[in-house]
Amino acid sequence: MWKKLTAKLQRWLELCEIVVALLVGLGVVATLITYLLPGVLNLFRPSTGTEHFLEYLEAIFNLVVGLEFMKLLFHINSENVIEVLVILISRHMIIETHAAMDIFLCTVSIVLLLLLKAGLRWIKHLSMEKFHKIMVDEEEHLP
């Protein structure tokens, strides 16, 4: 009985995850329509600064963050989490940062996240090699 209840709960939670991911997708579409289309038109307005371009760039980054978050909701793993964090830090560094120390800290954070991602891939590769070696050794001992 307990297994049936946990299996039903697991299916219900997976359905909820899909619904949340679809709602995020609707938010991405709304962002596309609301911000990007007018942002493209604002790029062609005469201006003395870069404010229109920065508004457009911010809308683009919001769209990218939404897409990466939706990808994260569908496939939760360490690589997707690291990708979302790198994009969020990049967005902050490009759009909102003006101090040299902020730029330096964002750069160090991105480098550390990418090193972590490479380290996790290396550990996964080593564990797969070890698993393969164990399987080959077991096959050799079979009659």
Side-chain angles (χ1 to χ4, degrees):
M1 168 142 166
W2 180 253
K3 287 184 180 182
K4 287 182 181 180
L5 181 63
T6 55
K8 286 183 181 183
L9 182 62
Q10 182 69 26
R11 280 189 225 121
W12 187 78
L13 289 173
E14 288 173 0
L15 179 66
C16 287
E17 286 178 351
I18 290 171
V19 168
V20 168
L22 291 174
L23 290 174
V24 170
L26 287 174
V28 167
V29 170
T31 300
L32 180 66
I33 293 169
T34 308
Y35 293 111
L36 291 184
L37 295 178
V40 170
L41 298 175
N42 281 339
L43 286 176
F44 297 108
R45 281 191 189 159
S47 77
T48 58
T50 59
E51 65 272 356
H52 295 302
F53 178 70
L54 287 176
E55 288 174 9
Y56 180 70
L57 197 59
E58 185 174 2
I60 294 272
F61 270 112
N62 287 339
L63 180 66
V64 170
V65 167
L67 289 172
E68 286 294 324
F69 186 67
M70 192 167 57
K71 183 173 122 180
L72 174 67
L73 288 175
F74 276 114
H75 302 288
I76 298 175
N77 61 32
S78 60
E79 286 193 13
N80 288 346
V81 171
I82 291 172
E83 284 179 19
V84 169
L85 290 173
V86 166
I87 289 172
L88 286 172
I89 293 170
S90 301
R91 178 190 178 280
H92 174 75
M93 187 169 63
I94 292 170
I95 293 175
E96 299 175 10
T97 301
H98 300 290
M101 184 56 96
D102 285 345
I103 294 172
F104 174 73
L105 291 175
C106 288
T107 305
V108 168
S109 299
I110 290 172
V111 168
L112 289 175
L113 284 169
L114 293 177
L115 287 173
L116 177 65
K117 185 177 179 179
L120 289 173
R121 282 186 180 170
W122 182 68
I123 290 170
K124 183 178 178 181
H125 177 73
L126 287 179
S127 65
M128 291 303 289
E129 282 183 354
K130 187 175 182 179
F131 176 75
H132 180 69
K133 183 180 178 193
I134 290 171
M135 295 303 290
V136 168
D137 288 345
E138 286 182 8
E139 286 178 1
E140 290 176 358
H141 295 290
L142 290 176

